[in-house]
Amino acid sequence: MEINGVEIEDTFAEAFSIKIARVLITAATKRWAEVAALEATGFGTSVIMCPAEAGIERYASPQETPDGRPGYYIQICTFGYDALEHQLLERLGQCVLTAPTTAVFNGLPAAEKQFNVGFKLKFFGDGMESVKEIAGRKMHSIPIMGGDFLVEENIGAIPGIAGGNFFIFGDSQMTALTAAELAVDTIKELEGTITPFPGGIVASGSKAGSHKYAKFMKATANEKFCPTIRDKVEGTEIPADVKAVFELVINGLDEASIKKAMQIGIKAATTVPGVKKITAGNYGGKLGKFQFHLKDLV
């Protein structure tokens, strides 16, 4: 199976259930909406060690936001709702309220699960806060030095999916990186998914557990996909003409969103000359109930 002359391995990406909150951050300018979104999603690559997986979903134009200002949708993902509410309070309170001109809106207003995050953040106003309405949404207005910070009373959350993925094999480090960047940029145009690792790209794909340090390491380097040690690893997955591998991990609100992101991301990556192969990571069905078969996507 090939796309644009690039081999697509007949395998599947394995994903698992997670809880996802979706937030819309707006600001006076696109720059400050992006700054706040980046801060709020920091230290959010992998739940192996991070308190949440988080990332920017997409840009929202002034024509589609409740307050008519530029904004960004973000997603924050944890295994449980209690942890998710805690992350919302910390990230919105410490990273968005503190950023110039920002406002926060509920990205999942129809969700059954709603956290009263805005109600709790209003107490920063020390009794001088007030209530406003924007586009039919109940907002808490908190006086701060740069003007008022506005936050919607509730933030919604739903059961989502984490761990959709694919691997890009390149004939050089820059080939694989260019293909991965193009895939990430393409996925950013979609609704409903995030690529939570730095710049959307995983440089250090891992395996569960450890061969040597099992007592204290719950995840270690996936040596079968490390080009520099291919001659030392039994069962290496790296062909002789591959010098680098990058992975994209995709979290999303539902299966359809992840399938679409994987599909267009893979197609974009295969347009870069020097890409040798696309594959995916799985644990034989032991990690999670969701399987995204590459042959069905392409």
Side-chain angles (χ1 to χ4, degrees), residues 12-18 159-165 250 252-256 258-259 262 281-293:
F12 64 92
E14 186 174 358
F16 51 90
S17 299
I18 205 161
I161 303 168
N165 70 82
I250 302 166
L253 302 178
D254 51 42
E255 289 185 82
I258 292 181
K259 285 179 179 179
M262 289 181 63
N282 64 72
Y283 294 86
K286 298 177 182 178
L287 176 68
K289 66 179 182 178
F290 300 100
Q291 296 183 6
F292 299 95
H293 290 262

Side-chain angles (χ1 to χ4, degrees), residues 28-296:
T29 65
K30 183 178 180 180
R31 170 184 173 175
W32 284 107
E34 184 178 27
V35 167
L38 287 168
E39 292 288 344
T41 55
F43 194 46
T45 60
S46 171
V47 289
I48 292 173
M49 286 293 287
C50 295
E53 294 188 4
I56 294 175
E57 178 187 303
R58 67 173 180 89
Y59 171 68
S61 70
Q63 290 72 37
E64 59 182 309
T65 62
D67 59 357
R69 306 191 304 168
Y72 284 89
Y73 281 101
I74 67 170
Q75 293 181 26
I76 300 171
C77 315
T78 65
F79 282 121
Y81 283 129
D82 288 345
L84 186 53
E85 181 179 21
H86 183 72
Q87 286 298 303
L88 284 166
L89 285 167
E90 287 193 337
R91 291 171 184 264
L92 298 181
Q94 295 300 306
C95 302
V96 184
L97 185 153
T98 59
T101 75
T102 56
V104 169
F105 295 92
N106 190 349
L108 292 169
E112 182 178 347
K113 185 69 176 180
Q114 298 286 332
F115 301 111
N116 61 345
V117 172
F119 175 81
K120 291 177 178 177
L121 288 177
K122 76 171 186 178
F123 293 106
F124 183 74
D126 197 22
M128 293 165 281
E129 67 277 0
S130 60
V131 174
K132 294 183 178 181
E133 185 176 295
I134 296 179
R137 298 173 182 238
K138 182 179 179 181
M139 308 291 294
H140 292 281
S141 181
I142 302 168
I144 57 174
M145 292 190 296
D148 287 354
F149 171 70
L150 291 163
V151 55
E152 192 165 352
E153 173 146 301
N154 295 318
I155 300 295
I158 62 171
I161 303 168
N165 70 82
F166 60 92
F167 293 62
I168 302 168
F169 287 37
D171 64 2
S172 72
Q173 188 179 71
M174 288 311 300
T175 291
L177 182 59
T178 300
E181 288 175 342
L182 183 58
V184 169
D185 290 345
T186 304
I187 292 169
K188 280 182 180 178
E189 300 298 319
L190 296 180
E191 185 107 5
T193 58
I194 60 171
T195 50
F197 280 77
I201 300 169
V202 185
S204 59
S206 62
K207 66 177 183 295
S210 166
H211 301 310
K212 188 172 183 180
Y213 309 114
K215 289 184 179 180
F216 60 92
M217 291 296 293
K218 59 183 179 180
T220 53
N222 195 347
E223 69 277 0
K224 291 185 178 181
F225 291 93
C226 296
T228 59
I229 57 172
R230 87 180 99 214
D231 296 337
K232 303 176 183 178
V233 175
E234 184 178 352
T236 181
E237 298 283 345
I238 306 299
D241 59 350
V242 170
K243 306 300 182 186
V245 178
F246 289 113
E247 178 186 3
L248 269 69
V249 167
I250 302 166
N251 295 358
L253 302 178
D254 51 42
E255 289 185 82
S257 296
I258 292 181
K259 285 179 179 179
K260 183 64 175 178
M262 289 181 63
Q263 182 183 55
I264 70 165
I266 289 170
K267 288 184 176 179
T270 62
T271 65
V272 176
V275 171
K276 297 296 184 181
K277 180 180 175 180
I278 302 291
T279 187
N282 64 72
Y283 294 86
K286 298 177 182 178
L287 176 68
K289 66 179 182 178
F290 300 100
Q291 296 183 6
F292 299 95
H293 290 262
L294 301 189
K295 64 181 178 63
D296 294 334

